[in-house]
Amino acid sequence: MHTNGVDPREWLRSAGLRVTAPRIAVLNAVATQPHSDADAVAASVRDVLGSVSTQAVYDVLHACVRAGILRRIEPAGSAALYETRIGDNHHHLVCRGCGAVVDVDCAVGAAPCLEPSDDHGFVVDEAEVVFWGVCPICRSTER
């Protein structure tokens, strides 16, 4: 699911969640700044709503992940990050220098785009891949 043009109220209703101002603010924050951590989302929510506890933001993030309207990714060595792009089995590039995260579509084939050498009897329906490297900005400052 991409978020362009979709009302967060509809995401919440379709997931069976109550529509509340904090939930709308969290979804808008994540849609505006994909790959944000909870602290960045909380700061954005506070800019819109004023006083909102960090725990309330965490609660909304967790409820939305459980409901399938947000995706949580956890690149090694960084805080959990949240995005509204779900259900398409895309992957991520992460910069070792600045931590920037960029979406990468599957390279080939249908989801999952990778097959394990031994599935151990699992029915695989998703692959999560993180590519690590150095972004162009960090590379230019290294020179």
Side-chain angles (χ1 to χ4, degrees):
M1 169 194 305
H2 290 276
T3 59
N4 299 340
V6 179
D7 184 348
R9 291 168 189 84
E10 292 304 314
W11 302 335
L12 292 165
R13 286 186 193 110
S14 68
L17 296 175
R18 280 186 322 116
V19 175
T20 65
R23 286 177 175 167
I24 292 168
V26 165
L27 289 173
N28 282 330
V30 175
T32 303
Q33 289 295 322
H35 312 126
S36 292
D37 65 17
D39 290 338
V41 173
S44 179
V45 168
R46 286 186 193 107
D47 287 345
V48 173
L49 297 180
S51 176
V52 175
S53 74
T54 302
Q55 187 59 51
V57 171
Y58 273 103
D59 291 346
V60 171
L61 288 168
H62 291 261
C64 290
V65 168
R66 277 192 311 274
I69 54 179
L70 287 182
R71 181 177 178 195
R72 175 185 168 132
I73 62 169
E74 297 181 63
S78 81
L81 307 174
Y82 298 89
E83 65 183 350
T84 55
R85 185 176 172 185
I86 59 168
D88 66 350
N89 201 54
H90 73 281
H91 308 300
H92 298 94
L93 278 164
V94 180
C95 178
R96 291 185 190 281
C98 66
V101 179
V102 179
D103 288 339
V104 177
D105 293 326
C106 285
V108 293
C113 59
L114 301 175
E115 293 183 26
S117 59
D118 182 352
D119 64 17
H120 298 275
F122 283 64
V123 175
V124 178
D125 61 11
E126 184 176 359
E128 186 172 312
V129 177
V130 177
F131 298 96
W132 292 87
V134 180
C135 73
I137 294 170
C138 289
R139 275 199 339 265
S140 71
T141 60
E142 288 176 351
R143 292 181 187 148

